[in-house]
Amino acid sequence: MTAQYFAPVASPQQPRAAFADRHIGPAAGDLHRMLAAIGYSGAEALLDAAVPAAIRTGRPLDLPPALSEPAALERLAEIAARNTVLTSMIGLGYHGTTTPGVILRNVLENPGWYTAYTPYQPEISQGRLEALLNFQTVVSDLTGLPVSGASMLDEGTAAAEAMTLAHRAGRRREPGTFLVDADVLPQTIEVIRTRAEPLGVEIAVADLSGGLPDGDVFGVLLQYPGASGVVRDLAPVIEAAHGRGAQAVVAADLLALTLLRPPGESGADIVVGSAQRFGVPYGFGGPHAGFLAVREGLQRQLPGRLVGVSVDADGAPAYRLALQTREQHIRREKATSNICTAQVLLAVMASMYAVYHGPEGLAAIARRAHERAASLAEGLRDAGVEVVHGAFFDTVLARVPGRAAQVLAAARERNVNLRPVDADHLAVACDETTTEQHVAAVLEAFGAPAEVRPATEAFPAELRRESPYLSHPVFHRYRSETAMLRYLRRLQDKDIALDRSMIPLGSCTMKLNATTEMEPVTWPQFAQIHPFAPLDQAAGYVELISELEDRLAEITGYAKVSVQPNAGSQGELAGLLAIRGYHASRGDGHRTVCLIPSSAHGTNAASAVMAGMRVVVVTCDDGGNVDLDDLRAKIDKHGAELAAIMVTYPSTHGVFEESITEVCDLVHAAGGQVYVDGANLNALVGLARPGEFGSDVSHLNLHKTFCIPHGGGGPGVGPVGVREHLVPFLPTHPLRPEVGDAATGVGPISAAPWGSAGILPISWAYIAMMGPDGLRAATEGAVISANYLAAKLAPHYPILFTGRDGLVAHECIADLRKITKETGITAEDVAKRLIDYGFHAPTLSFPVAGTLMIEPTESEDLAELDRFVAAMVEIRREIERVAAGEWDAADNPLKNAPHTAAALLADEWKHAYTREEAAYPLPSLREDKYWPPVRRIDQAYGDRNLVCSCPPPEAFED
């Protein structure tokens, strides 16, 4: 294909504002006014007071000077030009696909979708929740299993989650053995090995084409179709597995399931896979939406996110996250998975691909890919080339004794990448984008006539799918682009994203995702590179990844950074596995205790358990700091077994703890390692480096500090940075020897060598355009904005934790517990009432129940900060009216929030407050009003009456 993109030409004569001035919301004069409100004359004075001198770095950031936006795009265009886009017929779980233009423009490139946050406040997330419910319905229908989650991180990690789910379902105490078919994708096998080893689970790999070998196993994993392309009847192996009390897991291809008997009909208990080929580009490996579906009886053990249907205060159907949502914060070290997010944006794209094409369109795409493969096989056989498997879907395995390299080179000369299996075998995968010309070119490469003829179906008739799928009207209603466009807009309008207002979520850093940062993601030279294409075709990616890793290492003070982890939770696991590997290499494998402060993010404890560690909790004092006396006591008790401490810095309580260096020293003196969670790095960049003030390893959240958008709850990137002694233990990859140290590395953390590489240009562009001074200015802005909000809100809501001189770091916690005790108005009531004011709520009841954690970031301008303050102050006045008895304690605007237009227009209005007070509590709302689509949702009802696929249209008739 010919790659085309448009790169702007920078004009040195044309003056432009520095990008940092666009990224940082408050202007210089506004910052001075904000500092005055806090009580400081300048930014340096505030930082000197707020940030402990002991952690301050002694050198500025050694990064290239800031680039203008046009210059950054020009540089990225140069990098992209070093990638060569060939037609990749490699397969291995990654396939060519065409993203419908209406989805590309109106989802992937639309800030209304990509800047939304995780749907923890479901009333203002109904659009993306409906899209996710569509995704769950697609997966459930195609796999033949009744319940699917709202997406996983990728296929490899989904299979690893299925392994642990199978173990739980078997109710076995001992780790046991998990049996994997040799024809499973190689990267999946190795991800499973990485995850199994710390848990003591044995992975046995065997050829299961002839049945199960002897031995006791708790689960069996099959690939359908196999990595070699073969299509086999799964039922006999699944039946044999069930006969031994084992769970049957199938890694399946969604597109193939439009033609092949679904695994659920063959008895599979769990089905995993990737929805990548449903309209999501390669992106050199990601991000893509994995999936995991389960049989009846396993839904309450499902890892990750599950969207369900409940009802709102009026009894109308409404969507929300169901069951184990955010289980890590509740169960902590008892959590069964460390995943606290999903791949929402990519799942939305995949679901809309299914809505766009419908079942007939999907089947037509699948038939076309299969027919191309069958024609290729027929042409090869006619030319005397042995086709190994007679039954296949889209991948042909050819045997060419001693000629594999020759054929591979001949195909590349024809601009086609094939997959070398060994010296005698090549695999060729067809997909949605495969044309007759591609098939002809491949035939020529094999030395066969370039004649493409129709061929018969190449899988057994008994494996042909007979059951219907995607029968819900949503998959039949939007055939014209006009209808599809309006459906996407209708869903988008139901939600609050950053394009509508600030999202003041503490610990989540919802900052600007600039258009210039986003633009290169869809350039073909970045989007259309297969993750296992020859590396010389990805020279631009190699350069970009190397530069980004080096710059992140400079920012954090670490020796080396790996971008492979494709979520913060996976970065945590990678860092802890590096620590585990380091101790084992020194003969200290007995060091398994991980100290975790009680304030820590819930994934910390879950990740530690997954890394084979035993969690010991360290208490926090009344100021929210790690209790040093308790830390010393725990070290005295567990010192000989101490592996690590995990601390978040600045703390989850939003303060710069003065004792962090002492914490590091105490742990190091006992032989442990220090893991600093990088979730709050936005308060440190340019001011302090974890690798300098005592940390050995951190994960970073590129979807927070470094501007990759949250996408409604994904994609994310969670790179791991380590000091020199931990470098040998960074992640590796079975198909890319260039990644990590194969001799000492911990194995792959994600299925793709460089994780979600397709979105790394975003963070590269952010760092390049901000430059060293801009990055430090962003940190200053974040700290100033947080302290400004704390100062403005403190007269109305107590600020729970503060550091030296009453200052906070990048976020502040408003404590409503006393207000609740006196008035009955809860933090949740305030969160829901903020919806009527047009705001997404702050983080609710974390890390302390009954509080709101507020993080403004540096991107919000003073007008928006003041708009939020005005809303919170007015809500406080409303609370006072409840306290004074003017409004009933159970019937007031806060308890009844949010208010829909339908509720306000009802014929009967029985409340003591007026419709105007409900809808327009501030005059400014008359100019720009967000109308929530549903009233407050009954969470418990949805868990008691679990519905996780699209409800019938009549459910919404009233």
Side-chain angles (χ1 to χ4, degrees):
M1 63 175 287
T2 301
Q4 296 180 349
Y5 61 91
F6 299 94
V9 177
S11 172
Q13 286 77 34
Q14 184 179 4
R16 293 182 183 272
F19 173 75
D21 295 336
R22 300 287 189 187
H23 174 84
I24 299 171
D30 293 332
L31 287 171
H32 286 302
R33 285 190 287 275
M34 293 162 68
L35 285 162
I38 304 167
Y40 287 84
S41 59
E44 281 302 322
L46 173 64
L47 294 175
D48 286 344
V51 185
I55 73 163
R56 294 289 290 269
T57 183
R59 59 187 179 87
L61 293 172
D62 185 12
L63 297 172
L67 296 176
S68 68
E69 293 181 66
L73 285 174
E74 187 174 24
R75 174 71 183 118
L76 277 170
E78 293 172 357
I79 293 173
R82 298 191 61 201
N83 292 331
T84 305
V85 181
L86 270 60
T87 297
S88 284
M89 302 179 74
I90 295 170
L92 280 184
Y94 302 92
H95 300 271
T97 183
T98 300
T99 310
V102 66
I103 297 173
L104 179 71
R105 175 62 62 89
N106 296 287
V107 177
L108 180 58
E109 297 178 343
N110 182 353
W113 285 97
Y114 67 69
T115 69
Y117 185 63
T118 296
Y120 292 147
Q121 294 293 329
E123 292 85 358
I124 49 90
S125 307
Q126 291 294 293
R128 78 199 83 131
L129 284 167
E130 179 172 330
L132 289 175
L133 199 72
N134 291 346
F135 176 83
Q136 292 179 178
T137 303
V138 170
V139 173
S140 179
D141 280 10
L142 290 178
T143 61
L145 290 175
V147 181
S148 164
S151 74
M152 304 297 285
L153 299 175
D154 61 24
E155 181 167 342
T157 54
E161 293 286 348
M163 172 188 68
T164 54
L165 174 55
H167 190 269
R168 295 195 300 276
R171 302 182 186 279
R172 303 192 182 199
R173 291 185 178 275
E174 71 284 354
T177 299
F178 188 65
L179 180 61
V180 180
D181 184 27
D183 208 22
V184 168
L185 298 176
Q187 66 271 25
T188 296
I189 294 175
E190 295 308 314
V191 169
I192 290 173
R193 287 190 201 275
T194 300
R195 296 278 286 269
E197 193 273 336
L199 302 176
V201 172
E202 180 182 348
I203 301 300
V205 179
D207 180 358
L208 304 185
S209 59
L212 293 185
D214 294 336
D216 180 46
V217 296
F218 67 81
V220 176
L221 174 63
L222 306 166
Q223 190 87 37
Y224 184 65
S228 66
V230 67
V231 172
R232 296 191 179 101
D233 186 357
L234 304 177
V237 176
I238 290 175
E239 184 178 357
H242 287 161
R244 299 189 194 179
Q247 305 293 310
V249 184
V250 175
D253 182 321
L254 281 186
L255 190 65
L257 298 185
T258 65
L259 303 183
L260 298 176
R261 181 204 300 161
E265 293 179 14
S266 295
D269 301 290
I270 307 168
V271 179
V272 300
S274 171
Q276 178 268 319
R277 68 189 311 174
F278 274 34
V280 182
Y282 292 123
F284 203 42
H288 306 134
F291 65 83
L292 192 153
V294 297
R295 62 166 167 81
E296 188 66 41
L298 294 181
Q299 62 266 42
R300 293 181 184 272
Q301 299 187 54
L302 198 69
R305 298 255 164 85
L306 181 67
V307 176
V309 183
S310 187
V311 294
D312 74 356
D314 289 331
Y319 309 116
R320 33 80 77 180
L321 294 178
L323 297 180
Q324 75 299 326
T325 301
R326 302 193 84 186
E327 69 157 1
Q328 294 78 15
H329 295 301
I330 301 166
R331 303 188 68 204
R332 301 176 71 81
E333 67 271 16
K334 293 183 175 63
T336 53
S337 166
N338 72 340
I339 292 178
C340 68
T341 186
Q343 293 280 30
V344 172
L345 186 67
L346 300 314
V348 169
M349 289 180 65
S351 75
M352 292 306 169
Y353 181 89
V355 169
Y356 180 87
H357 287 292
E360 301 85 359
L362 294 178
I365 292 169
R367 276 194 296 272
R368 189 165 63 246
H370 178 65
E371 288 164 3
R372 299 281 189 252
S375 295
L376 173 63
E378 203 66 33
L380 292 174
R381 289 193 195 99
D382 288 348
V385 176
E386 180 186 349
V387 174
V388 176
H389 302 302
F392 53 83
F393 166 59
D394 64 359
T395 299
V396 176
L397 182 63
R399 184 172 182 270
V400 284
R403 289 202 306 130
Q406 176 187 339
V407 175
L408 189 72
R412 198 176 305 179
E413 289 174 1
R414 292 162 175 79
N415 293 322
V416 176
N417 290 321
L418 308 181
R419 170 160 53 99
V421 177
D422 54 36
D424 302 324
H425 295 85
L426 287 164
V428 187
C430 299
D431 55 47
E432 178 184 6
T433 67
T434 304
T435 65
E436 289 191 359
Q437 290 74 24
H438 295 140
V439 175
V442 172
L443 288 170
E444 283 185 342
F446 276 91
E451 182 181 355
V452 181
R453 301 194 309 273
T456 58
E457 193 171 81
F459 52 82
E462 60 267 24
L463 292 183
R464 188 181 300 127
R465 181 169 192 140
E466 303 294 343
S467 54
Y469 54 90
L470 304 189
S471 57
H472 192 277
V474 74
F475 302 107
H476 300 265
R477 190 175 284 159
Y478 307 109
R479 285 294 170 270
S480 73
E481 181 164 330
T482 303
M484 187 73 188
L485 176 67
R486 290 172 181 163
Y487 178 55
L488 290 170
R489 176 59 186 265
R490 189 160 65 250
L491 295 188
Q492 178 189 333
D493 283 348
K494 293 181 178 183
D495 292 2
I496 290 181
L498 273 176
D499 65 330
R500 192 187 292 269
S501 78
M502 75 180 287
I503 301 180
L505 283 153
S507 190
C508 298
T509 316
M510 299 294 297
K511 63 201 290 184
L512 171 69
N513 316 120
T515 305
T516 298
E517 295 158 7
M518 299 297 297
E519 184 179 334
V521 168
T522 54
W523 291 352
Q525 288 94 334
F526 287 130
Q528 301 301 336
I529 304 292
H530 192 288
F532 305 135
L535 210 55
D536 60 0
Q537 296 174 22
Y541 259 123
V542 171
E543 180 179 4
L544 182 140
I545 291 168
S546 177
E547 287 188 3
L548 180 59
E549 289 180 343
D550 288 348
R551 291 174 185 181
L552 292 173
E554 165 60 19
I555 288 168
T556 57
Y558 289 116
K560 179 69 176 172
V561 168
S562 167
V563 297
Q564 188 183 109
N566 54 7
S569 60
Q570 306 307 288
E572 287 181 10
L573 180 60
L576 291 170
L577 290 178
I579 290 173
R580 187 173 188 272
Y582 170 73
H583 285 312
S585 73
R586 293 160 53 87
D588 287 341
H590 61 280
R591 288 188 174 272
T592 59
V593 168
C594 185
L595 303 178
I596 298 181
S598 58
S599 65
H601 195 277
T603 58
N604 288 173
S607 295
V609 171
M610 291 175 60
M613 296 181 182
R614 180 162 60 92
V615 173
V616 173
V617 176
V618 179
T619 60
C620 291
D621 62 24
D622 292 340
N625 306 297
V626 172
D627 186 321
L628 290 180
D629 289 337
D630 189 53
L631 175 62
R632 292 187 185 98
K634 296 294 169 58
I635 289 176
D636 287 344
K637 182 176 181 180
H638 302 287
E641 306 167 282
L642 181 60
I645 188 171
M646 295 185 80
V647 293
T648 301
Y649 200 83
S651 76
T652 308
H653 291 145
V655 296
F656 290 103
E657 294 190 43
E658 300 280 342
S659 62
I660 184 62
T661 53
E662 188 174 355
V663 168
C664 296
D665 291 343
L666 288 169
V667 172
H668 284 149
Q673 297 285 287
V674 176
Y675 181 108
V676 168
D677 186 318
N680 297 335
L681 194 70
N682 206 49
L684 294 181
V685 176
L687 300 180
R689 294 176 169 90
E692 289 181 352
F693 64 67
S695 177
D696 299 290
V697 55
S698 294
H699 88 271
L700 321 176
N701 295 96
L702 297 194
H703 49 287
K704 293 184 180 182
T705 303
F706 296 99
C707 291
I708 289 176
H710 286 66
V717 181
V720 58
V722 297
R723 290 175 62 194
E724 192 68 45
H725 63 286
L726 294 178
V727 170
F729 308 101
L730 285 172
T732 57
H733 197 276
L735 302 180
R736 290 291 194 195
E738 303 86 0
V739 177
D741 186 331
T744 56
V746 298
I749 294 295
S750 72
W754 289 281
S756 294
I759 52 177
L760 296 181
I762 301 169
S763 296
W764 184 98
Y766 171 69
I767 294 170
M769 293 188 296
M770 292 294 281
D773 296 336
L775 289 171
R776 190 184 190 282
T779 304
E780 292 177 6
V783 174
I784 292 169
S785 293
N787 279 282
Y788 176 76
L789 285 188
K792 287 289 188 178
L793 294 176
H796 310 280
Y797 303 89
I799 302 303
L800 182 55
F801 298 115
T802 59
R804 194 195 322 163
D805 296 332
L807 297 173
V808 298
H810 60 299
E811 60 194 9
C812 61
I813 299 177
D815 188 356
L816 279 86
R817 291 175 296 179
K818 186 171 184 290
I819 291 172
T820 300
K821 185 176 181 180
E822 293 173 349
T823 68
I825 299 299
T826 67
E828 182 180 15
D829 295 331
V830 174
K832 302 307 180 187
R833 183 57 170 157
L834 275 167
I835 296 172
D836 288 329
Y837 287 78
F839 282 104
H840 192 299
T843 301
L844 175 63
S845 288
F846 176 80
V848 179
T851 66
L852 294 171
M853 183 161 59
I854 304 164
E855 181 177 359
T857 83
E858 72 277 11
S859 293
E860 300 299 340
D861 61 24
L862 181 56
E864 185 71 355
L865 297 178
D866 284 342
R867 192 171 76 90
F868 177 74
V869 169
M872 290 293 288
V873 170
E874 187 61 30
I875 288 173
R876 188 67 179 93
R877 293 194 185 105
E878 292 177 342
I879 295 173
E880 289 167 359
R881 295 177 74 174
V882 175
E886 184 178 344
W887 287 336
D888 185 83
D891 182 21
N892 55 67
L894 294 108
K895 290 292 183 183
N896 293 332
H899 297 80
T900 62
L904 291 164
L905 291 171
D907 292 337
E908 194 173 20
W909 184 262
K910 295 183 177 180
H911 310 294
Y913 59 97
T914 67
R915 300 177 200 248
E916 183 175 23
E917 287 172 324
Y920 301 116
L922 289 175
S924 59
L925 292 168
R926 294 184 177 278
E927 301 174 14
D928 182 19
K929 174 68 178 176
Y930 165 76
W931 291 103
V934 296
R935 293 189 63 196
R936 196 175 306 194
I937 294 172
D938 186 334
Q939 301 281 12
Y941 178 93
D943 282 349
R944 291 193 306 269
N945 305 276
L946 192 62
V947 177
C948 300
S949 58
C950 295
E954 52 267 25
F956 298 89
E957 284 182 354
D958 295 333

